[in-house]
Amino acid sequence: MNTNRPVPLLDVPRGNAPLREEFLEALASVIDSGRFLFGPDVKKLEEECARWSNCRFGVGCASGSDALLLSLMASGLRAGDEVICPSFTFFATASAVTRLGGIPVFVDIDPETFNMDPKVLDAAITEKTKAVIPVHLFGQCADMDAIMQVCDARGLIVIEDACQSIGASMNGRPASSWGHLASISFYPTKNLGGMGDGGMIVTNDEELEDQLRLLAGHGMRPRYYHSVVGINSRLDSMQAAVLNVKINHLDDAIAGRQKNARLYHKLFAKSGLTHEISLPKAKLGDGHVWNQFTIRVHNGLRDQLKAFLAEQNIGSEIYYPVPLHMQECFQSLGYQPDDLPETLKASEEVLSLPIFPELEAEEVRIVVDGVKRFFAMSQRRAA
Ligand SMILES: *Cc1c(COP(=O)(O)O)cnc(C)c1O
């Protein structure tokens, strides 16, 4: 029998409801201004994102995926160039490379953080390597000090995929402040989520900023004169107005996620489920912003646990069930599943639990109780 209150994986309206009046006011002023592109709201958000990232410049664009694409275009990626990235990430990290005729070279992850393992980076570099895309997955920075050491020594361009991790930091240094370029996504479920698609590139390099603006606007300068083939990728003023409201509350949203992560750790530690599951670690200091709270489920029980939680009306999701090196569209790259053993293992074990900022302590308890009930039941069955 299922008696607990339902706990959703995500509840976007719950987060937005308290800001409704602020949103309406901000949107009304865009409507009245008639400046739907390139307005003051976009400029303000660019400055705010740059500030959060300890960067000089922000350049708005249409999505996090476009932020990666434009970053690679501005880096001068050419057909046949290799770009090293993790396989355990969202598709857009690698598809941007392929769309430009580049070759994604997938490397394995550190099993404790799910992020690119800096130790395997050096061996993946060839004379064709142009750039590296470390991903700050689930809200935690990749080990950027170690990654930059390798990349600087080999003269490689570094593009941080910070799509899940605005506001994250490592030893006090913010995500997006290490690489030549970094991409941020405003997809509604990201830590700074808009009301539709949107993205941002941040950089400290004035020439790259200029190149990004050129490329995002059809390579057109002056009007109707095209020196390069760009794309059309803009952040519109409506999204920027909404995001300017939300970025003022980003500190609180991050604090809410961190509070929920602490409660999960406390309750799971008391549950005694040390052999059944492993908890996510904030390995590099306290700068984890918990876009996801991702546990590992051992002994091949992940999918059964997920189904059990769903029966109890508890949301959970698998990020990501198929690593990129095993995707159908990348088969021509010639990888075998166990070429990246930690990536393969993670894809078989991970399960993300509800962690959104407005999630209540009571709901965290319901989730932990649900997990405990599942293992009590499966142990009784095994006995
Ligand atoms: C969401 C995401 C993207 C793409 O962002 P969109 O705004 O959805 O295009 C890229 N990389 C990672 C790691 C993401 O999580």
Side-chain angles (χ1 to χ4, degrees), residues 63-65 68 89-90 92-93 135 161 163-164 185 187 190 198 320:
S63 68
S65 302
L68 288 161
T89 176
F90 180 62
T93 309
V135 180
D161 182 340
C163 283
Q164 300 184 2
S185 167
Y187 184 79
K190 303 287 161 97
Y320 297 91

Side-chain angles (χ1 to χ4, degrees), residues 9 22 44 57 67 92 104 135 163 224 233 271 299 349 352 364 382:
L9 178 67
E22 278 187 76
K44 178 159 183 288
F57 308 105
V135 180
C163 283
Y224 307 124
S233 185
S271 74
N299 308 313
E349 292 187 338
S352 295
V364 174

Side-chain angles (χ1 to χ4, degrees), residues 66 69-70 73 99 213-219 229-233:
D66 273 6
L69 187 69
L70 286 162
M73 290 170 82
R99 280 186 58 189
R213 291 200 190 278
L214 180 68
L215 289 164
H218 292 294
V229 179
I231 60 174
N232 172 22
S233 185

Side-chain angles (χ1 to χ4, degrees), residues 217-248:
H218 292 294
M220 178 165 76
R221 191 186 287 160
R223 212 170 171 76
Y224 307 124
Y225 289 78
H226 303 262
S227 53
V228 291
V229 179
I231 60 174
N232 172 22
S233 185
R234 288 184 283 240
L235 180 70
D236 62 75
S237 304
M238 292 275 193
Q239 285 306 331
V242 162
L243 289 160
N244 280 325
V245 169
K246 289 193 86 169
I247 204 166
N248 286 333

Side-chain angles (χ1 to χ4, degrees), residues 84-89 93-94 105-109 114-116 133-135 324 340 343:
I84 299 171
C85 65
S87 164
F88 194 65
T89 176
T93 309
V105 174
F106 297 117
V107 291
D108 216 350
I109 51 168
F114 303 110
N115 281 327
M116 176 183 281
I133 309 181
V135 180
L324 301 189
L340 304 175
T343 296

Side-chain angles (χ1 to χ4, degrees), residues 1 22 72 77 91 94 97 103 109 122 129 145 162 174 179 184 199 215 241 273 275 304 316-317 340:
M1 252 271 285
E22 278 187 76
L72 288 166
L77 189 82
F91 179 65
V97 177
I103 301 163
I109 51 168
D122 206 59
T129 309
D145 288 340
I184 296 167
L215 289 164
L273 294 171
H275 298 291
Q304 285 177 52
S316 68
E317 193 50 88
L340 304 175

